[in-house]
């Protein structure tokens, strides 16, 4: 009789143990399934002039999508080089078509995803308290302009646009002699803000973003090509579908309202 009771007790303990074990296994399976809900991480390489607006785009997009956006901002030429050297990237947004076209020709971009996204303007700016009497790009050649902030023409689209503008005005060699070249347009903007240079050439959106500079002129009509920002998916991306969705979002009316708030316009308008 005692043996029978003991056997029943052992069976009961064994049954409870099995139920507990199954519960742990079920919980384990549940946690494994939940990993499918982990956010996809996208790395976006974007021109430095997009720094401010993309922070707002990031917040907007992440709120409605199961992704985490990580941005790396720099001169478009430097970003091109990073992609060519195999740096992890899912999307590239350039400040000029030159860098995008080069990557496309090297089969480093998914060509069918490349789109002309935005348009900007090239402007001449001075420190907000400047007393220089500048009213045009031609005035950069004045004797009282001792130093000009420009992007490096070979790697910074804003610098290349500036070189083209001053060349078409016939004063590039003189301007180049007193130029200080930066690695991206935001560096140039910082020099103007701190009066480290007499004036600088940046984008209209950069001037719009700063209270420390004053725009004195827009590049003369026909003095340079339109400032087009293309976007596309990097061919080596490990998240092609999600990257394509993000590039598509950038062209929506919802996103364009944010870009326009920062001074950009839709390309082609």
């Amino acid at each position: 009789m005692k043996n029978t009771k003991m056997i029943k007790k052992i069976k009961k303990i064994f049954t409870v143990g099995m139920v507990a074990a199954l519960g742990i296994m079920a919980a384990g399976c549940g946690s494994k399934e939940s990993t499918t809900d982990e956010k996809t991480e996208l790395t976006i390489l974007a021109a430095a002039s997009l720094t401010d607006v993309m922070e707002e785009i990031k917040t907007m997009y992440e709120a409605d999508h199961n992704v985490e956006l990580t941005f790396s901002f720099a001169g478009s030429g430097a970003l091109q080089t990073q992609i060519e050297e195999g740096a992890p990237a899912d999307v590239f947004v350039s400040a000029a078509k030159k860098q995008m076209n080069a990557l496309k020709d090297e089969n480093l971009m998914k060509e069918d995803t490349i789109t002309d996204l935005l348009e900007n303007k090239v402007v001449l700016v001075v420190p907000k308290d400047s007393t220089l009497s500048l009213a045009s790009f031609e005035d950069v050649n004045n004797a009282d302009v001792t130093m000009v902030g420009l992007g490096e023409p070979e790697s910074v689209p804003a610098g290349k646009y500036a070189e083209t503008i001053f060349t078409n005005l016939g004063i590039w060699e003189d301007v180049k002699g007193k130029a200080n070249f930066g690695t991206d347009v935001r560096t140039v903007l910082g020099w103007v803000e701190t009066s480290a240079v007499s004036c600088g050439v940046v984008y209209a959106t950069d001037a719009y973003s700063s209270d420390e500079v004053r725009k004195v002129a827009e590049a003369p009509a026909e003095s340079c090509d339109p400032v087009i920002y293309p976007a596309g998916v990097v061919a080596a991306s490990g998240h092609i579908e999600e990257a394509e969705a993000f590039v598509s979002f950038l062209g929506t009316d919802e996103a364009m309202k944010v870009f326009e708030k920062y001074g950009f316009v839709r390309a082609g308008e």
Side-chain angles (χ1 to χ4, degrees):
M1 190 72 167
K2 288 183 178 180
N3 289 339
T4 303
K5 289 182 178 180
M6 180 66 69
I7 291 171
K8 287 183 178 180
K9 187 174 182 181
I10 292 172
K11 285 183 176 180
K12 184 176 180 181
I13 293 172
F14 178 77
T15 302
V16 172
M18 285 295 294
V19 170
L22 289 171
I24 292 171
M25 290 173 64
C29 291
S31 63
K32 185 175 182 180
E33 290 175 359
S34 67
T35 60
T36 60
D37 294 329
E38 290 181 359
K39 291 185 177 182
T40 299
E41 296 181 9
L42 294 181
T43 299
I44 319 298
L45 304 188
S49 51
L50 292 164
T51 301
D52 298 321
V53 65
M54 282 301 188
E55 289 302 321
E56 187 165 341
I57 291 289
K58 169 183 169 70
T59 301
M60 175 189 297
Y61 194 75
E62 288 181 345
D64 294 327
H65 299 80
N66 195 37
V67 300
E68 181 178 339
L69 303 178
T70 299
F71 286 90
S72 178
F73 300 103
S76 298
L79 297 175
Q80 174 192 339
T81 299
Q82 289 180 32
I83 294 172
E84 290 171 334
E85 293 179 349
D90 299 292
V91 173
F92 176 43
V93 188
S94 176
K97 301 180 76 168
K98 174 185 174 182
Q99 289 75 21
M100 184 67 76
N101 288 339
L103 292 172
K104 180 186 69 175
D105 292 343
E106 296 168 10
N107 296 317
L108 294 176
M109 300 295 299
K110 281 184 60 63
E111 184 173 353
D112 60 343
T113 68
I114 297 174
T115 180
D116 288 347
L117 183 65
L118 305 167
E119 186 169 348
N120 211 336
K121 300 292 183 183
V122 180
V123 298
L124 178 66
V125 294
V126 296
K128 67 176 183 179
D129 297 325
S130 173
T131 58
L132 292 176
S133 56
L134 298 182
S136 69
F137 274 71
E138 290 92 336
D139 291 341
V140 173
N141 204 28
N142 292 351
D144 55 352
V145 175
T146 57
M147 188 174 291
V148 185
L150 302 176
E152 170 55 54
E154 293 305 312
S155 60
V156 182
K160 186 62 179 179
Y161 289 125
E163 178 185 26
T164 301
I165 293 164
F166 290 124
T167 297
N168 288 332
L169 294 175
I171 59 174
W172 171 240
E173 290 303 318
D174 293 325
V175 171
K176 183 171 66 171
K178 53 184 175 182
N180 197 35
F181 294 104
T183 55
D184 60 62
V185 73
R186 283 305 174 98
T187 297
V188 176
L189 180 67
W191 289 339
V192 181
E193 289 176 326
T194 58
S195 300
V197 294
S198 305
C199 59
V201 176
V202 297
Y203 296 119
T205 51
D206 297 308
Y208 178 82
S209 72
S210 175
D211 294 328
E212 301 300 319
V213 304
R214 178 164 45 89
K215 184 181 84 172
V216 296
E218 200 170 278
E222 310 302 325
S223 63
C224 70
D225 292 333
V227 181
I228 302 298
Y229 286 59
V233 176
V234 178
S237 169
H239 308 287
I240 296 294
E241 184 177 341
E242 293 86 351
E244 288 181 352
F246 179 65
V247 171
S248 295
F249 171 78
L250 293 178
T252 63
D253 290 342
E254 180 184 7
M256 204 55 59
K257 287 179 181 177
V258 180
F259 285 122
E260 290 171 353
K261 187 170 72 171
Y262 286 81
F264 293 95
V265 298
R266 188 189 294 272
E269 289 189 349

